[in-house]
Amino acid sequence: MAQRLALGQLRVEKVRHRDGRCSYTVFDSASGLHSGADWYLSKYAGTGSDRTYAYLLVDHLRWHEGLTPESVVFRDLKRYMGAVGAKIPMPYGAPWRVGKRPYQNDALRGAATCLKGFYLRQAELGINTALVQELNLKRMPTQQDKGPRPARTPQAEHGREPARAEGTEAPAQEDAAGRRP
């Protein structure tokens, strides 16, 4: 079954240039090329970072629906980092990327670098220069939140019983009438 893009849906696309190089950028199904993202990512074209940054940036841009680059404040960036897995000392709303694992520390650092670079680049165009002052004074959270999570093991997710230590028994199973053997 083919997937249809909804209007306004952002996606990463690989672009082949006339000289044979490839780069990655962000497209909006309604308006075409996302100019702010493309201008930022063009700086990394062909370096190997453009693909990673494109996916990190499109995730952020999908999350901040309703916000514009002009209206984003540092608190919004912290909330986003919390939504993707960083430890933050404030509520951030529902987890982002439902059904996917939270970002690990390396991915959190990459996301923070990407977002800071994107908003610094926007400021070069005169967009949201107040945010730049905060980005230069404060650090975005990049340490994974290792708080309590639902107990899931890889075996349980695949329908297998987890291995048991020698000398321990599995809990007795009940039959249909609720009796234990």
Side-chain angles (χ1 to χ4, degrees):
M1 184 167 119
Q3 287 185 329
R4 295 179 143 292
L5 291 173
L7 286 180
Q9 186 173 352
L10 297 172
R11 67 189 184 278
V12 173
E13 284 202 12
K14 185 177 186 177
V15 178
R16 290 198 183 275
H17 300 275
R18 289 185 187 134
D19 62 2
R21 292 181 306 118
C22 290
S23 63
Y24 293 83
T25 194
V26 177
F27 279 85
D28 184 331
S29 60
S31 59
L33 185 67
H34 189 288
S35 59
D38 186 60
W39 190 63
Y40 168 65
L41 293 168
S42 67
K43 182 166 99 173
Y44 299 100
T47 64
S49 297
D50 59 340
R51 181 176 186 225
T52 300
Y53 282 0
Y55 280 101
L56 290 169
L57 187 56
V58 82
D59 186 65
H60 171 68
L61 294 172
R62 286 175 180 162
W63 174 83
H64 86 16
E65 202 168 301
L67 294 174
T68 63
E70 295 85 6
S71 66
V72 171
V73 294
F74 189 77
R75 183 177 174 89
D76 295 325
L77 297 179
K78 281 178 64 174
R79 280 185 32 247
Y80 171 74
M81 294 300 288
V84 295
K87 185 175 185 171
I88 60 170
M90 61 193 236
Y92 56 81
W96 180 237
R97 304 171 69 243
V98 174
K100 295 183 180 180
R101 295 166 65 154
Y103 288 173
Q104 301 293 310
N105 288 339
D106 287 343
L108 289 168
R109 284 189 291 274
T113 300
C114 175
L115 296 180
K116 182 175 181 178
F118 175 71
Y119 287 106
L120 290 176
R121 193 93 157 133
Q122 293 296 299
E124 290 176 20
L125 299 173
I127 299 170
N128 204 349
T129 54
L131 177 60
V132 171
Q133 294 171 353
E134 284 191 87
L135 286 171
N136 287 329
L137 294 175
K138 300 176 184 175
R139 294 179 57 106
M140 283 199 276
T142 58
Q143 292 301 308
Q144 182 182 7
D145 184 1
K146 295 191 181 203
R149 298 203 193 291
R152 281 197 272 170
T153 63
Q155 297 87 359
E157 288 180 13
H158 296 352
R160 296 181 299 227
E161 288 258 344
R164 301 197 185 280
E166 192 174 322
T168 62
E169 292 183 26
Q173 299 294 319
E174 295 178 352
D175 65 11
R179 296 178 297 227
R180 291 181 183 235

